[in-house]
Amino acid sequence: MSVYQALLQSAERQGAGYLVLIDPDNWTEESVVKFVEQVNASGADAIMVGGSLNTRGNWDSKLIQIKKAASLPVLLFPGSLGQVSEHADALLFLSLISGRNPQSLIADQVHAAPLIQHIGIEPIATAYMLVESGKPTTAEFMSGTRPLPRSKPDIAVAHALAAAYLGFKLIYLEAGSGAELSVPIEMIQAVAQSTDVPVMVGGGIREPEMAAEYVSAGARFIITGNVLEANPDPGLLKAFARAVHRKN
Ligand code: 1GP
């Protein structure tokens, strides 16, 4: 079974799936292994690995440590071409469809595709949609794109429909890492009702209660990053997993 299908099944069984994002830049090799062990034991569905920058230069060695320690699937969430690697189970093959920058819509993907084929990692076509979230985010700045206006769910729906008709397998509504304001509930509802393509939501989710509300609104996967990097508390990890897994 593909990683994609396994994730969908797990989300279906439990109400939704919980994905924990690790930005290797924010961890040492020792601390990241300890954190992965906590994530393994938390009830989370998968680990995502990615970041906007790579300031330490030891990306692959940290990824190898993460993969070795993980008992859950490891999904790459590449912030750049250099983050494509064989040391993971699957890769979110992202196209930044909220933007109008050809580099992040198709050019980076053309560069990455032969490498993905060569290393044999599973690509999961993901329509990546940045949503306005208060202050400008790193993802916004680095991609040179404008996010979707947060008060315009109809514009988000139009993008989601285009993503569905183009055959994307996931839609990722992204407020941006550390976002001041996370994705508006109304937008999640509108997008989830408009299409069967599973919706992932991330960026600025700091409380398990908010994760639970997003699942009620129709999110199929919830992603948290910063909140646990700032406070890697096993109790908080478990609380997020419980909040997302409403059927358990
Ligand atoms: C960022 O959606 C993820 O790409 C997670 O965001 O770090 O704000 O949880 P946070």
Side-chain angles (χ1 to χ4, degrees), residues 2-163:
S2 67
V3 174
Y4 174 69
Q5 281 167 338
L7 285 174
L8 286 190
Q9 277 190 10
S10 179
E12 174 67 29
R13 199 173 56 245
Q14 305 189 86
Y18 176 44
L19 313 179
V20 178
L21 174 64
I22 295 177
D23 181 346
D25 242 18
N26 297 339
W27 300 88
T28 63
E29 288 195 19
E30 298 73 44
S31 64
V32 84
V33 166
K34 188 166 169 233
F35 183 59
V36 169
E37 286 163 358
Q38 291 172 357
V39 178
N40 288 339
S42 70
D45 295 76
I47 292 170
M48 278 172 42
V49 183
S52 294
L53 296 169
N54 173 9
T55 59
R56 315 234 174 150
N58 54 355
W59 173 267
D60 241 24
S61 67
K62 282 211 196 118
L63 186 56
I64 290 167
Q65 298 290 332
I66 292 168
K67 176 72 185 120
K68 214 162 90 186
S71 60
L72 301 169
V74 175
L75 303 179
L76 291 178
F77 172 50
S80 62
L81 282 172
Q83 295 179 17
V84 176
S85 165
E86 70 213 84
H87 304 295
D89 299 296
L91 168 145
L92 296 186
F93 195 57
L94 304 162
S95 177
L96 181 48
I97 69 158
S98 55
R100 300 295 180 265
N101 179 351
Q103 192 69 34
S104 46
L105 276 166
I106 186 62
D108 284 345
Q109 294 77 355
V110 170
H111 281 287
L115 176 60
I116 289 169
Q117 185 188 43
H118 176 70
I119 63 183
I121 193 169
E122 176 187 332
I124 305 175
T126 305
Y128 193 47
M129 293 163 58
L130 292 181
V131 180
E132 198 182 20
S133 59
K135 296 187 188 126
T137 60
T138 307
E140 215 178 298
F141 182 80
M142 295 301 284
S143 65
T145 66
R146 291 173 67 190
L148 301 171
R150 56 186 291 111
S151 59
K152 304 274 185 196
D154 53 332
I155 294 182
V157 166
H159 283 73
L161 288 174

Side-chain angles (χ1 to χ4, degrees), residues 21 48 77 128 172-179 201-206 223-227 229:
L21 174 64
M48 278 172 42
F77 172 50
Y128 193 47
Y172 189 161
L173 289 176
E174 167 74 282
S177 196
V201 183
I205 301 176
R206 296 181 183 86
I223 297 104
T224 64
N226 268 271
V227 68
E229 292 189 327

